[in-house]
Amino acid sequence: MSKQFPIVNPRSQAGLVLSDATMVEFRDGCTDAMGIVPGEHEVGARVPCPNCAGEHEISSALSVPIAHNITIAEIKSEPEAGD
């Protein structure tokens, strides 16, 4: 079951600070299959390419919010097999 997190003001300390991004695949022009473009975009939109100076038409898009205020406080190692 996925957990829902509130989208909050970046100056607030409650919840995750998220920004919109879209994982895209371009229909034309760019040799890279996938890229992440800032903002929310839909199939058919023309956006600046993250890998070249041109713009390309989006053939598939997946909205992927990016969290900016995640901190790893402690890393615990997994027990090894046989322990």
Side-chain angles (χ1 to χ4, degrees):
M1 177 178 204
S2 66
K3 194 169 188 172
Q4 297 294 317
F5 296 98
I7 297 175
V8 297
N9 182 321
R11 293 185 179 93
S12 171
Q13 295 299 313
L16 291 175
V17 177
L18 301 174
S19 63
D20 293 331
T22 305
M23 186 179 303
V24 298
E25 188 168 330
F26 293 119
R27 179 170 287 133
D28 60 342
C30 195
T31 58
D32 289 306
M34 298 293 275
I36 295 180
V37 179
E40 275 196 47
H41 303 283
E42 295 181 4
V43 172
R46 292 190 65 83
V47 296
C49 179
N51 301 312
C52 73
E55 286 189 348
H56 304 295
E57 184 177 343
I58 297 173
S59 63
S60 65
L62 175 65
S63 179
V64 289
I66 297 173
H68 298 278
N69 63 334
I70 294 177
T71 303
I72 298 173
E74 182 179 347
I75 299 173
K76 294 182 180 179
S77 61
E78 294 284 326
E80 295 198 18
D83 287 343

